[in-house]
Amino acid sequence: MTFDCRKTNPTYKSWHELYVVKHHDGAYVNSGILNQKKIAISEAQGYGMLITALAASKQEANQKEFDALMVYYNQHTISDINHLMAWKQVYTSGKMVTDTVNNTNATDGDLDIAYALLKADKLWGSQGNYNYRGIANDLMRDLLNYNYNAHNQSLYLGDWAKNDKRYQYLVRTSDLIPMYFKVFFEKSHDKRWLSLYSQSINTLKILSDRSTAGLFPDFVWIKNGQIINAEPNTLESANDGVYGWNANRIPFRLAYDTDDSELRKINNKLLQFFEQRHRLTAVYDLSGKSLNNYTSMAFTAPIAVAANQQKNVVNTFAEKIVQQVKTTSLTGNYYADTLQMLAMLIFDNAQ
């Protein structure tokens, strides 16, 4: 497929054609560079399942498309007894292969997959070809079995971190999704989800208050009652302690599918900061200094979701940034395009 961003409008159909790859009787979201080696990751699969469920709510997608993504997830769980998805597969000799080192999970992907399955159950029920609710129950249970850290009432980065002393207390701030935790408790009645709900809100409040701009670092240490910002290159990159390519998702995480007043307050502080920017760029330090001079929908789209939720607070800014998301062509960058598509569907479903 030849990609021409000038002709690629931001619609579910165009996103689906670019990124969803059929594979045997399933399908995955290609997170690799277009026209190069295909890569599937659990994060992308979770986004894809959420996007498809939201699009189906508007009759833009169908159950068959969702089921294809669900089948691929089901084929790439870590084991028969561990229903978390292996975080990465690479196209090799006609197959999507999980190397042994990649047969671990990434918490954010499984959170989205579980929530998308609950969405599917609400849309179509679980009496058809696939028991969405039952699969979601298995996944919610294993998120707690393998990813829950009882010492700090937070989630490990993945099941691998549970036994890695270097990272046992390191938390990805964009994994703090109070609304998910609340819903998972309501569905499972496991009180550990309530602990996660309370701890995540408390952590988000502390981090918001700590920054004059209300910005969050990509990662924090949570240990012995202390919350410490990660240093550069703690795990992924020099951006680990700033508002980078993980924390950029927080605005939509706090706005999506909820109207919680505490989460609105946290997002409102962020919005007041971004409203004052002449131009929204990618990556900020916690004081609010822009660290790059380019824009990315990976940063703009989540802010637009939060702004759209609180139109009465920042009406002009909201209208401008939502329109920007709706009219900007897809770029061929999986992450930016996928967050843009997710934002557009959240707008549509909020109407």
Side-chain angles (χ1 to χ4, degrees):
M1 177 188 298
T2 301
F3 177 74
D4 185 349
C5 63
R6 296 170 298 177
K7 300 178 181 178
T8 309
N9 298 322
T11 65
Y12 168 75
K13 182 178 179 181
S14 60
W15 175 86
H16 188 275
E17 289 177 350
L18 277 176
Y19 294 108
V20 177
V21 180
K22 292 182 180 179
H23 187 69
H24 303 303
D25 55 342
Y28 62 90
V29 177
N30 178 25
S31 64
I33 298 172
L34 295 180
N35 303 320
Q36 296 187 25
K37 195 153 192 169
K38 296 181 176 67
I39 298 172
I41 57 175
S42 58
E43 168 204 280
Q45 203 71 6
Y47 289 148
M49 292 170 76
L50 273 180
I51 284 170
T52 306
L54 286 168
S57 298
K58 305 295 289 185
Q59 288 76 54
E60 296 174 21
N62 57 53
Q63 187 175 6
K64 184 177 179 181
E65 290 170 338
F66 183 89
D67 283 353
L69 295 168
M70 196 285 300
V71 166
Y72 184 88
Y73 148 73
N74 206 36
Q75 292 171 341
H76 292 277
T77 55
I78 289 175
S79 72
D80 291 340
I81 60 171
N82 183 342
H83 299 86
L84 303 175
M85 184 176 174
W87 86 275
K88 183 179 181 181
Q89 298 83 48
V90 177
Y91 187 79
T92 307
S93 301
K95 298 179 180 179
M96 294 303 292
V97 177
T98 301
D99 291 337
T100 301
V101 69
N102 293 326
N103 198 36
T104 59
N105 90 303
T107 300
D108 51 350
D110 289 298
L111 288 169
D112 281 331
I113 293 170
Y115 192 73
L117 286 164
L118 293 176
K119 283 281 192 185
D121 174 62
K122 188 174 182 180
L123 274 172
W124 300 299
S126 290
Q127 291 75 46
N129 293 329
Y130 301 103
N131 182 352
Y132 306 122
R133 178 62 186 275
I135 299 169
N137 287 343
D138 289 340
L139 192 45
M140 288 186 290
R141 183 188 65 243
D142 285 345
L143 276 162
L144 292 176
N145 285 343
Y146 297 101
N147 288 171
Y148 179 69
N149 186 339
H151 298 290
N152 62 7
Q153 288 80 52
S154 296
L155 294 173
Y156 296 112
L157 302 170
D159 59 341
W160 58 272
K162 188 173 185 176
N163 297 312
D164 189 330
K165 292 182 179 180
R166 296 172 299 171
Y167 300 112
Q168 283 180 338
Y169 294 96
L170 189 64
V171 174
R172 183 185 293 107
T173 53
S174 55
D175 289 351
L176 303 172
I177 316 175
M179 180 276 294
Y180 277 18
F181 303 154
K182 183 177 181 181
V183 171
F184 293 168
F185 169 72
E186 291 168 352
K187 299 298 183 182
S188 70
H189 306 294
D190 192 310
K191 292 184 178 180
R192 285 176 290 180
W193 290 118
L194 277 185
S195 295
L196 284 163
Y197 173 77
S198 299
Q199 176 66 13
S200 61
I201 291 179
N202 181 61
T203 300
L204 290 163
K205 283 181 178 178
I206 290 171
L207 292 173
S208 176
D209 290 343
R210 187 179 290 173
S211 164
T212 56
L215 295 166
F216 300 88
D218 274 2
F219 298 95
V220 295
W221 300 98
I222 304 179
K223 185 176 182 181
N224 299 328
Q226 292 186 307
I227 301 171
I228 302 170
N229 296 349
E231 294 293 327
N233 300 305
T234 294
L235 179 70
E236 291 185 355
S237 74
N239 294 325
D240 286 351
V242 302
Y243 186 82
W245 298 92
N246 286 287
N248 64 300
R249 300 176 287 187
I250 290 176
F252 100 75
R253 293 296 196 191
L254 301 188
Y256 173 51
D257 255 10
T258 183
D259 197 36
D260 182 275
S261 60
E262 292 297 330
L263 303 185
R264 285 174 69 96
K265 289 178 184 177
I266 295 169
N267 257 349
N268 188 42
K269 185 174 180 179
L270 276 173
L271 290 171
Q272 289 173 350
F273 165 74
F274 286 116
E275 186 184 16
Q276 297 168 13
R277 305 303 100 187
H278 174 68
R279 181 168 171 262
L280 301 186
T281 53
V283 186
Y284 292 82
D285 71 17
L286 299 187
S287 73
K289 178 184 177 182
S290 178
L291 300 182
N292 288 317
N293 61 8
Y294 60 86
T295 64
S296 172
M297 273 293 150
F299 285 78
T300 303
I303 297 164
V305 171
N308 189 63
Q309 181 199 45
Q310 307 196 43
K311 285 182 179 178
N312 60 320
V313 178
V314 283
N315 190 45
T316 303
F317 174 65
E319 292 175 359
K320 180 180 177 181
I321 193 172
V322 168
Q323 189 64 16
Q324 184 181 350
V325 172
K326 288 183 175 181
T327 58
T328 300
S329 296
L330 301 182
T331 63
N333 177 286
Y334 140 75
Y335 190 53
D337 287 352
T338 299
L339 291 185
Q340 181 181 2
M341 183 50 47
L342 187 57
M344 290 184 63
L345 289 165
I346 292 173
F347 302 153
D348 290 343
N349 278 266
Q351 293 175 355

